[in-house]
Amino acid sequence: MDEALLRSLTPSVLTVLVRRGADFAAAEDAVQDALVEAVRVWPDDPPRDTKGWLVTVAWRKFLDATRSDTARRRREGRIDEEPVPGPTPSVDDTLQLYFLCAHPSLTPSSAVALTLRAVGGLTTRQVAQAYLVPEATMAQRISRAKRTVSGVRFDQPGDVATVLRVLYLVFNEGYSGDVDLAAEAIRLTRQLAAAIDHPEVAGLLALMLLHHARRASRTAPDGSLVPLAEQDRARWDTAAIAEGVRILQTALARDRLGEFQAQAAIAALHADAPTAEETDWVQIVEWYDELARLTDSPVVRLNRAVAVGEADGPRAGLAALAAVEDSLPRHTAAAAYLHERAGDLPTAARLYAEAAHKAPNLAERDYLTRQAARLNSRPRN
């Protein structure tokens, strides 16, 4: 049984049912029932038209689940609407499902969970394992999200920016459980890129590929973080980098710059440098200037300050950092790094230790603690 095929067909079958008038939650249950039936039947009797078979079975499951005396009499007059076995147009109709799952009435966490469940075709258990929460907790979250959008018409979707933000959130969840959310986000974004011609969709796909290409080198064998400058670039995925750069160049040629394209351009400059010392920091600062103009984000300004420190020297970087709110996450870590570059090791050690207490996860805390210990172990003049 080709599970990848079933998962790829799930969104379009669900969309067909919703378009035919099925309630979103009931339609999803019907599609899942059809998938179970497919697992049972297909190994011995594979259909010629897989999508047509799933649409037919799912629709019948929906009718069975909702049948009542009143509903039955109503459906008797429109029985010809039931889809029949046979070829079904292969149009990619998952796009509207993306927008429905990213509806602005949903919280970001609910939108991500619903996207993975409805568009990604993951089971509730897989989504729960990816988020390291109990299956019952995730089931409640997804059920609430389905109830929220069940009455939403397809002419009231989230916009492209919302969809991209949801996909980026999926990507940034990283890798946990038995579901690689970064790889899943790339797969979903590829689907979206095939369905919609939008430079920012391409920009997001390029950004994901360029970041994902460095995955193998990001951690040491003991699981500790390896900073970008110290990564083994021979372990980077050159095929993913080449694809990301190609997609980015095509998007930039359309002269409709957006934040994901600008982020991807920065990632491409890092990927293009044979060594950390050969990184084109001047051009990276220029791209951060573009990104700051597009987003006015304090996180962008913080990252720009570090890039300025590399391009123009640590004192210039510290001056740029002084203009960024010091309450921002990772501000203290950036200050520690720039002070170390400037030769002020006691201040850097103190700031590394302080940043470790503020670290958002264990891996970062351990890395920052080691940096503080390294500087504190050096002999003082």
Side-chain angles (χ1 to χ4, degrees), residues 58-347:
W59 183 253
R60 287 173 177 165
K61 296 286 185 183
F62 167 73
L63 293 180
D64 289 342
T66 59
R67 184 168 286 116
S68 66
D69 289 340
T70 302
R72 185 181 302 110
R73 286 194 298 270
R74 188 166 58 248
R75 283 194 295 272
E76 286 173 354
R78 61 178 196 224
I79 192 65
D80 60 331
E81 290 184 8
E82 181 177 336
V84 296
T88 302
S90 59
V91 176
D92 185 351
D93 51 4
T94 64
L95 181 58
Q96 288 181 316
L97 199 55
Y98 276 100
F99 284 82
L100 184 62
C101 291
H103 194 270
S105 62
L106 295 174
T107 64
S109 61
S110 295
V112 169
L114 189 58
T115 300
L116 289 171
R117 182 73 173 87
V119 186
L122 303 186
T123 65
T124 301
R125 175 174 296 178
Q126 287 176 313
V127 180
Q129 288 175 340
Y131 276 86
L132 303 178
V133 300
E135 183 177 356
T137 299
M138 184 55 66
Q140 291 176 351
R141 183 182 302 177
I142 293 173
S143 293
R144 285 195 299 268
K146 289 192 291 187
R147 286 195 300 270
T148 299
V149 300
S150 62
V152 173
R153 300 190 307 274
F154 272 123
D155 60 352
Q156 298 176 317
D159 59 9
V160 174
T162 304
V163 174
L164 296 182
R165 195 67 60 193
V166 168
L167 291 173
Y168 195 40
L169 285 170
V170 175
F171 182 81
N172 283 331
E173 286 297 326
Y175 330 98
S176 57
D178 63 358
V179 178
D180 184 337
L181 286 184
E184 183 66 14
I186 291 173
R187 186 184 74 84
L188 294 174
T189 306
R190 284 191 190 280
Q191 285 187 357
L192 186 61
I196 181 173
D197 183 19
H198 194 292
E200 273 293 82
V201 177
L204 178 59
L205 178 57
L207 176 63
M208 290 179 175
L209 290 169
L210 290 164
H211 279 318
H212 203 56
R214 303 198 301 263
R215 174 181 182 176
S217 63
R218 284 197 182 113
T219 56
D222 63 359
S224 59
L225 288 180
V226 179
L228 177 60
E230 300 173 18
Q231 289 176 11
D232 181 0
R233 299 183 180 222
R235 300 183 66 195
W236 289 2
D237 186 341
T238 55
I241 291 172
E243 182 185 7
V245 169
R246 176 182 55 77
I247 293 171
L248 173 63
Q249 289 174 337
T250 301
L252 290 175
R254 300 179 64 177
D255 197 26
R256 291 171 54 193
L257 183 64
E259 62 175 295
F260 289 118
Q261 294 169 74
Q263 288 188 57
I266 293 169
L269 287 167
H270 284 297
D272 187 54
T275 65
E277 293 73 23
E278 296 174 87
T279 303
D280 189 345
W281 286 106
V282 172
Q283 194 172 168
I284 287 176
V285 171
E286 292 174 354
W287 276 111
Y288 271 122
D289 289 338
E290 290 285 352
L291 192 54
R293 179 182 60 80
L294 290 166
T295 66
D296 192 30
S297 165
V299 175
V300 170
R301 294 198 298 273
L302 185 148
N303 290 332
R304 178 188 178 277
V306 176
V308 168
E310 300 287 356
D312 300 329
R315 295 299 176 190
L318 286 167
L321 187 63
V324 180
E325 299 89 333
D326 59 9
S327 61
L328 200 67
R330 299 187 175 89
H331 184 285
T332 307
Y337 173 75
L338 290 170
H339 275 288
E340 180 182 359
R341 286 282 315 281
D344 186 354
L345 302 189
T347 299

